[in-house]
Amino acid sequence: MNVLLIGSGGREHALAWRLGNSPSVAKLTCPNGNPGIAQVAETPRVALHSHEDWVSYARQNAIDLVVVGPEAPLDGGIADAFRAAAIPIFGPVKAGARIESSKAWAKELMASAGIPTARARTFTDPAEAKEFARQLGLPVVIKADGLAAGKGVTVALTRQEAGRAIDENLVESRFGDSSAKVLVEEFMEGEEASVFGLCDGVDVYTLPAAQDHKRVRDNDEGPNTGGMGAYAPAPVYTNGIADIVRREVLQPLVDEFRRRGIDYRGVIFAGLMLTQHGPKVIEFNCRFGDPETQVLMPLIEGDLALLLLACAEGRLKSLPESIANHADSTIRTRPLSATTVVLASAGYPGDYTKGLPITGLDAANADKNAVIFHAGTTRDNNQVLTAGGRVLAVTAWDTTLPKSQARAYELVRRISFDGCHYRSDIAAKALNK
Ligand code: AMP
Ligand code: GLY
């Protein structure tokens, strides 16, 4: 089949790489994809602005399946446009993407479906928000309601900090429309895990859990980033927890979508806190995680394109056993572990320079169990240059987690660009126990 991939970063390179390895894929096209994606897909430079542009591009190129990486086009309704054109698309309709773009609505949905999550209330009035924050005690979590490029959450350790975060949103509109409402939320303690449920509108099948590393520096210090590395499967996420999450989180969410007439076909990304009282939802996203996708794609055993097409066509249950385990609603994976280390530009997550030459990118060529996924890169003649905050996601997999970690770091040390920085403790959390 002919597959069209939307998006151009590290997550999309990982998706493209795995789609490219899928026997069912005749041609993979990723318009404006980065130089890493260009190694495994056609990456024509085309200006596609409106949904109509995308749909007619897909028609001209006889596309059989569209796969969407980022949340923004989903929130903009691109899946609705492709559904109306009867072209199968993996990614939820706008009404479903709201699970990520409105935290207040996500909370309301969780409440109706009885999904375990932190206690929270939504406010537009700063004084009322502060009063509720006082009742919850410290630490307390303040969140902008809408999309805020990963910067909308404050874990406040003092009342002043909580008050400031509330004012930044409701008084100063720090994130524009996304700040019109704030959530004031109970602080949850535990380890975090990212779980992806692949959904066909009715059923939901899960991938192994991954752990992201959100802070910029070792030992989870420094400011939050988009994610500095990940590993999977996460040993803390036991089969018992996986079972609870399927029964108490993912299936109830899909059932709630159906009750509301939302036909959700795509990924449900559950950001979970594994608390003393069981797994609780921190947030939902409507797309794959970045950099979690970089460690999950190497683990998938079967044909990814057939899997995503089955979701898009509402028939997960019809998949062969080589792709899905129907007995426990999981996606079949290889008995391996993977680690990815993000190499970032100097200054990231703040301001950074672009356009610096990268050396050592051929380091992984000879290794069948490693890939250097490109996140923010560009090509200038024969030279690959930095073009983003997160530049590369160096990924290796092996029979054990420590082996995958050691091999990822071996590769990392062979790559360089001016000011490159990375965490040296990705996956250490799982190994120090
Ligand atoms: P989010 O953007 O909702 O994923 O939040 C970003 C990060 O803030 C999460 O990955 C958690 O580390 C932290 N966080 C969010 N909500 C809570 C909460 N209720 N309790 C503790 N930590 C939280
Ligand atoms: N890695 C977290 C995210 O993609 O939102």
Side-chain angles (χ1 to χ4, degrees), residues 27-241:
K27 186 171 168 194
L28 175 63
T29 308
C30 180
N32 309 310
N34 69 35
I37 299 173
Q39 295 162 5
V40 292
E42 307 261 324
T43 53
R45 306 287 116 180
V46 281
L48 300 169
H49 300 296
S50 65
H51 296 156
E52 293 71 40
D53 290 349
W54 278 102
V55 169
S56 56
Y57 183 84
R59 283 218 179 92
Q60 282 156 22
N61 290 278
I63 295 299
D64 303 293
L65 171 68
V66 183
V67 178
V68 186
E71 63 276 15
L74 295 168
D75 193 48
I78 200 160
D80 305 67
F82 274 103
R83 291 238 202 135
I87 300 173
I89 180 163
F90 180 82
V93 290
K94 186 179 170 71
R98 227 180 135 204
I99 194 81
E100 175 163 359
S101 59
S102 171
K103 289 183 192 285
W105 186 69
K107 278 288 185 191
E108 194 236 302
L109 223 65
M110 284 188 258
S112 346
I115 295 171
T117 184
R119 222 178 118 202
R121 278 177 54 193
T122 308
F123 297 92
T124 51
D125 180 84
E128 288 173 17
K130 285 174 200 171
E131 172 53 26
F132 185 64
R134 199 187 56 73
Q135 286 172 24
L136 287 180
L138 292 170
V140 65
V141 184
I142 313 297
K143 300 184 173 182
D145 175 48
L147 296 176
K151 295 188 178 132
V153 175
T154 303
V155 178
L157 300 177
T158 63
R159 284 189 57 191
Q160 288 85 330
E161 219 183 323
R164 215 178 314 124
I166 289 167
D167 287 341
E168 272 177 5
N169 282 285
L170 295 181
V171 182
E172 295 152 30
S173 301
R174 178 168 175 215
F175 304 108
D177 288 348
S178 291
S179 292
K181 291 185 237 171
V182 290
L183 253 80
V184 178
E185 187 171 289
E186 166 198 17
F187 177 78
M188 298 185 287
E189 211 166 332
E191 280 207 44
E192 287 182 44
S194 303
V195 175
F196 302 149
L198 276 66
C199 185
D200 69 354
V202 175
D203 294 303
V204 56
Y205 282 35
T206 49
L207 281 163
Q211 274 190 313
D212 187 7
H213 297 62
K214 286 212 167 97
R215 303 291 185 126
V216 74
R217 283 195 292 279
D218 284 8
N219 303 316
D220 293 328
E221 287 171 9
N224 264 320
T225 68
M228 293 298 289
Y231 66 94
V236 318
Y237 195 79
T238 60
N239 287 340
I241 297 177

Side-chain angles (χ1 to χ4, degrees), residues 11 212 214 226-227 269 283 285 287-292 390:
R11 161 184 50 211
D212 187 7
K214 286 212 167 97
F269 169 159
E283 62 161 357
N285 296 313
R287 37 101 195 150
F288 283 111
D290 188 345
E292 290 93 331
R390 292 189 292 174

Side-chain angles (χ1 to χ4, degrees), residues 294-295 298 338-341 369-373 393-397 404 408 411:
Q294 287 86 321
V295 285
T339 301
T340 191
V341 181
N369 298 317
V371 189
I372 299 169
F373 290 121
V394 180
T395 308
W397 53 97
S404 74
L411 274 179

